[in-house]
Amino acid sequence: MFKRKKREDKVKKQRFQTFRDAYKVTKSVKPWIGGALFAIFILVRQVNRLKRRQEVAAAPTRDLAAELSRSRPAERPATPFHLLLCAIARTLHEYPRLNRLLAGGRHYERRGVWLAFSGKQRLDTDAPVFSRKMEFRADEPVQHAIDRIYELLEFGRSGRESASDREVDVLLRLPGPLLRLAVRSARWL
């Protein structure tokens, strides 16, 4: 009981971050190498995606997940999904230039490595989907990251609403024109 309460408190402590808390303007981008010109050509946020097709052999990842799972509880095995999240986080820590955002013609460098993932509350096609966002630390062992991912999944599958879920519910109750005005105001800030 006490252990479960402690995990719930950890999940609740992750506060909602504003744009200014999560990003800082970076001046290190050279204007002739995709800096200012790139900001002019890409004016819409949805265009900022990197698309690349690549085939990856999954057998070594499955073997590593099975090896890590031997030292873990049976109800919390390591999966290729956990390893993928940890690999992306490690890459972003090793190459911080990849952890940038272009918005409003400015380059922003993210403060920390945050990855978001979603899941279903139940194994049912009509079950509601939840999403969670987690910060990965540079010196964090894989086993500890896997435990934290499971804690967030348990919180999401419990059906309880997070602070961001409540904020989105409030926004969705607004009439359409007022909601658009609120979104435009938030983008302007």
Side-chain angles (χ1 to χ4, degrees), residues 76-127:
R76 288 182 159 207
T79 65
F81 174 71
H82 297 120
L83 298 179
L84 176 66
L85 285 177
C86 292
I88 291 170
R90 181 171 289 176
T91 301
L92 292 175
H93 278 295
E94 289 180 12
Y95 301 98
R97 289 181 58 193
L98 296 175
N99 199 15
R100 290 186 176 165
L101 167 74
L102 177 67
R106 288 179 151 171
H107 289 269
Y108 293 92
E109 195 168 310
R110 289 180 171 93
R111 300 179 198 269
V113 173
W114 290 81
L115 297 177
F117 54 91
S118 61
K120 287 205 167 247
Q121 287 185 357
R122 296 177 307 280
L123 288 175
D124 183 16
T125 55
D126 298 330

Side-chain angles (χ1 to χ4, degrees), residues 13 24 49 101 147:
K13 283 182 184 177
K24 65 179 177 181
R49 294 188 187 124
L101 167 74
D147 287 333

